[in-house]
Amino acid sequence: MSGSALVDCIGNTPLIRVNSLSDETGCEILGKAEFMNPGGSVKDRAALGIVLSARESGALKPGGVIVEGTAGNTGIGLAMVGSALGHRTVIVMPDNQSAEKIDTLKAFGAEVRLIPAVPYKNPDHFVHTSGRLAEELNASEPNGAFWANQFENLDNRAFHEKTTGPEIWEQTDGKVDGFICAVGTGGTLGGVGRALKELNPDITIGLSDPGGSGLHNYFANGEVKIEGSSISEGIGNSRVTANLEGSPVDISWQIPDDEAVPLVYDLIRHEGLVLGGSSGINLIGATRLARELGPGHTIVTILCDSALRYKARLFNREYLASKGLSLPDWWAG
Ligand code: PMP
């Protein structure tokens, strides 16, 4: 018996019916189980798309080093794909991210460089720092280095357009009426949105934006304007990235944590789904889109990663209280 290469196990994730939300809305609310990718998140796809394309173009040479600035999940995907294909990975990350993600990056073999979290316009922001580091390593490493640059590198979006979107179409027999998710780089929303609109322009594409992000205002009012805050990680943005630019977004909502976080606990208790905060934001968005379209529609969203990646925060009463949130009464911890 011969097996598949690890990278061939990325994608082709199942669609899971979220029973409580489907029954509540009279719609089919389906979550694409991206947490089942081998690196544990939706970002395995972006990592694979970016690395394959860079190897093909020669931007990433055999044995070359992959460098990226990332809040976590992309780094995990890059480290995994990199190791599988013969590349070392160096990750530059802001120091305000969850300890679990840092540990997981190291467990996947990445070299992690933590730097202070500063606004994007500061030249020491982790994205700019990683670009400079890639240039330095490209000069000093025997096989050079490649900057993944997930926010601006369109191979991110292209891989979702080629895989995630068509998978959703096939898994719903073309009956999908709406797709909605949050945006970090915009690769998922931009890629899936494009693919589905191409297959059927009547499919509604939505953005579920967390507090602390400026993108809801951008799509609703044409101006990036940040409001509120969120404990979710990996989503929200204060700028329109190349991957998000031109995304076919029809409708958007800003989703508050006091709706999304309680849903995360309900999903654990009633559905057996153990998901991170961005999946909670996505599923509240899916519920709003279901209400907007009315009963009888099929809405798809992304189940991005596991709650275990955030357990020091999501299951920490003191941390939650400091954000005006709480664990449910049934929680035993
Ligand atoms: N959820 C989580 C947990 C993530 O880490 C990310 C990516 N940073 C996203 C959602 C958003 O994905 P994208 O970058 O494709 O917009």
Side-chain angles (χ1 to χ4, degrees):
M1 208 175 92
S2 72
S4 292
L6 178 72
V7 294
D8 296 332
C9 301
I10 294 173
N12 286 314
T13 51
L15 263 190
I16 299 176
R17 181 178 194 267
V18 182
N19 292 326
S20 52
L21 302 180
S22 300
D23 296 347
E24 207 177 294
T25 57
C27 285
E28 289 296 292
I29 297 197
L30 308 173
K32 189 99 171 107
E34 293 300 295
F35 62 89
M36 291 175 72
N37 280 311
S41 89
V42 64
K43 300 302 304 206
D44 283 10
R45 295 196 196 242
L48 182 59
I50 287 171
V51 168
L52 287 182
S53 175
R55 281 164 62 95
E56 206 177 295
S57 71
L60 175 61
K61 296 182 192 69
V65 177
I66 300 167
V67 181
E68 181 60 323
T70 165
N73 279 328
T74 305
I76 292 165
L78 285 171
M80 180 188 69
V81 169
S83 296
L85 298 176
H87 305 279
R88 191 163 72 79
T89 299
V90 181
I91 298 300
V92 182
M93 189 170 171
D95 60 6
N96 59 353
Q97 296 297 301
S98 71
E100 295 92 319
K101 278 200 291 192
I102 300 167
D103 290 347
T104 309
L105 271 169
K106 291 181 178 167
F108 273 83
E111 179 186 328
V112 180
R113 301 199 187 179
L114 291 178
I115 60 166
V118 295
Y120 184 75
K121 60 180 187 308
N122 186 320
D124 290 331
H125 185 268
F126 66 95
V127 170
H128 312 311
T129 305
S130 69
R132 285 195 302 271
L133 179 64
E135 272 177 38
E136 282 162 34
L137 291 178
N138 194 35
S140 63
E141 282 289 322
N143 299 307
F146 162 74
W147 184 34
N149 193 15
Q150 58 166 332
F151 289 94
E152 312 304 324
N153 185 337
L154 294 179
D155 292 324
N156 168 3
R157 179 172 89 189
F159 200 75
H160 284 286
E161 188 169 359
K162 196 172 99 180
T163 66
T164 325
E167 286 170 31
I168 290 169
W169 179 260
E170 278 159 33
Q171 286 171 306
T172 57
D173 293 325
K175 293 196 179 69
V176 52
D177 299 297
F179 174 81
I180 185 163
C181 70
V183 158
T185 63
T188 312
L189 186 63
V192 173
R194 274 179 167 69
L196 293 180
K197 284 281 189 192
E198 177 76 28
L199 289 158
N200 176 1
D202 294 335
I203 296 173
T204 304
I205 305 296
L207 165 72
S208 48
D209 207 29
S213 174
L215 297 175
H216 164 65
N217 268 319
Y218 173 71
F219 285 106
N221 310 313
E223 190 198 347
V224 177
K225 190 166 153 249
I226 295 176
E227 274 172 279
S229 67
S230 173
I231 69 164
S232 62
E233 294 177 34
I235 55 172
N237 212 324
S238 57
R239 67 188 192 282
V240 178
T241 62
N243 278 290
L244 183 62
E245 185 86 57
S247 293
V249 172
D250 300 301
I251 191 162
S252 92
W253 289 277
Q254 185 164 54
I255 311 289
D257 276 1
D258 60 8
E259 281 183 57
V261 175
L263 177 63
V264 167
Y265 304 130
D266 283 352
L267 294 168
I268 294 172
R269 183 76 166 137
H270 301 296
E271 307 267 349
L273 285 168
V274 181
L275 303 170
S278 72
S279 304
I281 301 268
N282 283 352
L283 283 165
I284 294 288
T287 310
R288 292 199 186 181
L289 184 53
R291 296 231 159 84
E292 183 78 21
L293 298 182
H297 291 95
T298 296
I299 315 289
V300 177
T301 189
I302 302 287
L303 309 182
C304 311
D305 64 359
S306 164
L308 297 180
R309 215 151 257 189
Y310 311 94
K311 62 182 191 302
R313 288 181 181 176
L314 262 183
F315 305 116
N316 177 333
R317 287 189 195 281
E318 289 75 43
Y319 175 78
L320 291 168
S322 75
K323 305 288 177 188
L325 300 163
S326 57
L327 276 162
D329 292 341
W330 57 264
W331 181 257

